[in-house]
Each structure stands twice: as structure tokens, then as C-alpha cells.
Amino acid sequence: DAKTTQPNSMESNEEEPVHLPCNHSTISGTDYIHWYRQLPSQGPEYVIHGLTSNVNNRMASLAIAEDRKSSTLILHRATLRDAAVYYCILRDGDFGNEKLTFGTGTRLTIIP
Amino acid sequence: EPEVTQTPSHQVTQMGQEVILRCVPISNHLYFYWYRQILGQKVEFLVSFYNNEISEKSEIFDDQFSVERPDGSNFTLKIRSTKLEDSAMYFCASSDLRGYSYEQYFGPGTRLTVT
């Protein structure tokens, strides 16, 4: 599996935007970039995914660099409920049933 | 909104005992997974299951582990003879590829404590 690199932890103030970076310099052409998060004492939860173009959904936005070697998950207005560990994961788009390989992720703390 | 459910939420067992962890995946999903997370560590893949057979398993998933879909709704993980190091949160997940959605939906987990 291609590797991703994320900061161990980040802090943000409530109601401000949060930009969570992910580096994936060895990404292959068929790898999709997925983001999951894990709230305290819960199972992981899908956030968003993309291939080349930026993506938006009700939870977040995903900005993908033109060379695809990095991406940024954007929470537009962080709430206390967004405090979680965020995982950036690469998955081969040709095998949609492929397992998820979790790293250590970024622990996001929201300051009231 | 449909969700994956798991029972029990917490299971305490003695070393050497057999345990069965139960999951009810989302009803129209086709792929099923088990993951585990030892306290303070990463979420680790154990096994994936499709069309009534294992499609992939990790090194962790040795002969002590087995999975089964005994009926149209349940998906179980059995550990034959538990060890202390099997203590972890066990998460079931499911996904539906018919709509080309690659999301995996996770259950709330079962905390297994082996004493």
C-alpha cells in the first residue's frame, strides 16, 4: 500500500476553518485519496474521497494538489463534535473492496 | 439512516475460552470486514468476506480466527481460544459496490477483554 504522512496532532479554535494536510508522494495513478475519522470511543467514519479534482460534501472539502502528491481535508467551520483522529488513506480504485490500511492519523483538538 | 450494529458492546472472557462477536451489516451490502484496534494503537485489518468466502486476510487472522455469515443478516467473528493479546476493540464494517461507492461503514465496535 502506498504510504501517507500526516502530522500527529493539530489544534483549532471552534467555528474556524481547519486544514488537515496529507502527503502521499508515492501515489499511483489509480489510487483514490480517502479520508476517514474516528471520534472518541467510536468506529471509523467515512468523510470524503477523491481522485484528481477537488471534492465537496456536507461534511468537508478535499483539495488535491495538481501533482496528486499531497491533499488537504478542509473543515469549513469546526465544531466541538469534529474533535477526532483523521486518517488519510490511499486505495487502489481498481479494487473497491480493498481493505483500509490505517496509519496513526492526525488527532484534531478543537478549542472552545 | 442504515447502520452497522454489533453485539455485545463489551465482552469479558477468560484466556482459552471461545468468543463469538456478532455484527449485522447494512442490509444491501455485499462486502464485510473485521478490523481490530488494541488500546492506543492503530486500527488493523483482519479479514474481508464476499460471496460467502474470505477474500483477503491479514497475518493477524490465524487459525484461531474464523468468520461466518450464518444467515442473510448476521456476520460473525469467532476466536477459538482467546489469548491476553486478543484484548482489543473489534470493528465490523460493510460496503456496497453496486453503486460504485467505496465507503466502508463501521459499527460501534465490541470491546473484548481477555483476563
Side-chain angles (χ1 to χ4, degrees), chain A residues 32 34 36 38 41-46 49 58 87 91 93-104, chain B residues 1 31 33 35 37 41-45 48 55-56 89 91 95 97 101-109:
Chain A
Y32 281 73
H34 287 246
Y36 280 73
Q38 188 174 20
S41 302
Q42 294 190 28
E45 173 188 33
Y46 168 83
H49 77 282
R58 62 176 178 82
Y87 301 98
R91 296 180 78 196
D94 289 333
F95 300 98
N97 59 324
E98 191 176 292
K99 64 182 184 284
L100 292 167
T101 300
F102 290 83
T104 52
Chain B
E1 188 172 323
Y31 287 86
Y33 312 81
Y35 294 81
Q37 186 174 31
Q41 298 189 23
K42 296 188 283 190
V43 177
E44 301 174 289
F45 168 77
S48 58
S55 42
E56 186 176 1
M89 282 290 287
F91 296 107
S95 67
L97 299 188
S101 168
Y102 295 157
E103 299 173 36
Q104 287 187 17
Y105 294 81
F106 284 77

Side-chain angles (χ1 to χ4, degrees), chain B residues 12-69:
Chain B
V12 181
T13 190
Q14 289 190 327
M15 198 167 52
Q17 295 297 303
E18 174 183 287
V19 294
I20 298 176
L21 309 183
R22 291 183 167 80
C23 168
V24 179
I26 294 172
S27 64
N28 61 347
H29 283 191
L30 300 177
Y31 287 86
F32 313 109
Y33 312 81
W34 284 100
Y35 294 81
R36 80 171 186 191
Q37 186 174 31
I38 296 170
L39 187 63
Q41 298 189 23
K42 296 188 283 190
V43 177
E44 301 174 289
F45 168 77
L46 292 178
V47 65
S48 58
F49 191 86
Y50 170 71
N51 201 24
N52 283 320
E53 59 182 30
I54 290 174
S55 42
E56 186 176 1
K57 59 183 180 179
S58 72
E59 290 178 356
I60 303 167
F61 194 88
D62 62 20
D63 292 344
Q64 293 300 311
F65 291 87
S66 62
V67 289
E68 195 177 34
R69 188 154 161 82

Side-chain angles (χ1 to χ4, degrees), chain A residues 73-92:
Chain A
L73 179 71
I74 302 165
L75 307 178
H76 294 287
R77 193 168 162 270
T79 68
L80 295 177
R81 198 196 171 274
D82 292 319
V85 179
Y86 287 79
Y87 301 98
C88 170
I89 299 169
L90 300 183
R91 296 180 78 196
D92 188 335

